[in-house]
Amino acid sequence: MGKIYDKNGWVNWDYILTLKSAFIMVVGARGTGKTYGLFKKLTSEKKPFLYVRRLQSQLDISKSESGNPFRKLNSDQMMDIMPRPRSKLCEFRTEQGQGELVAIGVSLSTVATIRGFDFSGIDYMVYDECIPMVGEKPIKDEFNAFLNLYETVNRNRELEGQRPVQCIMLGNANQLANPYFSGWHFTKTA
């Protein structure tokens, strides 16, 4: 357990991203630096990633300047990653939304039934707030919808000798009976 936190008590993304697992789930209290720290690590590596939210309404908030998930990182790191809305998707780019691609934002509720996207340049999926809050709108067959999204992004890369997409799922410990703990059968362990 000692390696999962850095010397200041924040989530140690330098260590966690060295794990070979295709799925990494980081669940904990709010405000422990899960999203911020991961964004900081991935933007420093300049590797575009897929930013996933459960609901389209949550992604839509991210498309605004005030709801920009990179807002604090921009302020702290002197960056200028801004949302660039694209219909149901959202690109997050440097230089006020006109520069390099940092992330592509999608919602599980929207892409759950869509196939055929080409995410071949994506090596990481960041599924933010994957555990729904109590009372939040359910997604029909959510766990399988998530697995279908992962397969669409990953496209059997292992069969071509590539490393699989690493999916980092971030959640607040607000509901043990959630689609992911249930789907992977570790609700009891959690």
Side-chain angles (χ1 to χ4, degrees):
M1 290 292 275
K3 293 181 181 178
I4 62 172
Y5 299 103
D6 67 17
K7 65 182 186 226
N8 297 317
W10 298 107
V11 176
N12 184 357
W13 290 111
D14 288 331
Y15 167 72
I16 292 172
L17 291 179
T18 65
L19 301 174
K20 300 297 183 202
S21 178
F23 298 97
I24 297 172
M25 189 171 226
V26 177
V27 177
R30 290 179 54 113
T32 57
K34 296 182 296 286
T35 304
Y36 179 91
L38 182 55
F39 280 6
K40 184 177 178 183
K41 174 72 176 164
L42 293 178
T43 57
S44 73
E45 293 183 1
K46 297 192 182 304
K47 292 185 177 184
F49 58 92
L50 192 67
Y51 173 64
V52 181
R53 294 302 304 257
R54 284 188 71 252
L55 304 174
Q56 186 64 45
S57 58
Q58 295 165 335
L59 182 66
D60 288 343
I61 291 169
S62 299
K63 292 178 179 183
S64 69
E65 189 173 335
S66 61
N68 181 358
F70 294 93
R71 188 173 179 179
K72 175 94 171 105
L73 188 65
N74 282 341
S75 174
D76 292 351
Q77 301 295 314
M78 307 291 239
M79 298 175 137
D80 63 347
I81 301 167
M82 297 298 290
R84 190 171 173 190
R86 297 277 190 234
S87 184
K88 298 288 183 184
L89 308 175
C90 185
E91 294 178 353
F92 295 91
R93 293 182 171 272
T94 60
E95 299 174 25
Q96 294 293 307
Q98 304 302 313
E100 287 182 38
L101 180 67
V102 174
I104 299 170
V106 300
S107 72
L108 180 62
S109 63
T110 299
V111 299
T113 59
I114 301 171
R115 307 289 182 271
F117 286 111
D118 179 8
F119 291 116
S120 55
I122 300 292
D123 293 327
Y124 295 98
M125 277 177 63
V126 176
Y127 188 0
D128 199 14
E129 307 284 349
C130 66
I131 298 176
M133 294 188 305
V134 175
E136 196 170 281
K137 179 182 174 186
I139 298 172
K140 184 180 178 183
D141 198 16
E142 183 168 340
F143 182 67
N144 284 317
F146 163 74
L147 293 178
N148 284 330
L149 172 61
Y150 180 80
E151 179 55 32
T152 297
V153 176
N154 190 57
R155 282 287 184 236
N156 298 312
R157 293 176 192 206
E158 302 92 327
L159 297 176
E160 297 173 355
Q162 299 176 35
R163 186 174 166 198
V165 170
Q166 196 164 37
C167 179
I168 303 100
M169 303 172 73
L170 309 174
N172 295 322
N174 55 7
Q175 194 177 172
L176 291 179
N178 66 69
Y180 306 98
F181 285 11
S182 297
W184 277 310
H185 307 290
F186 58 72
T187 302
K188 187 175 180 180
T189 303

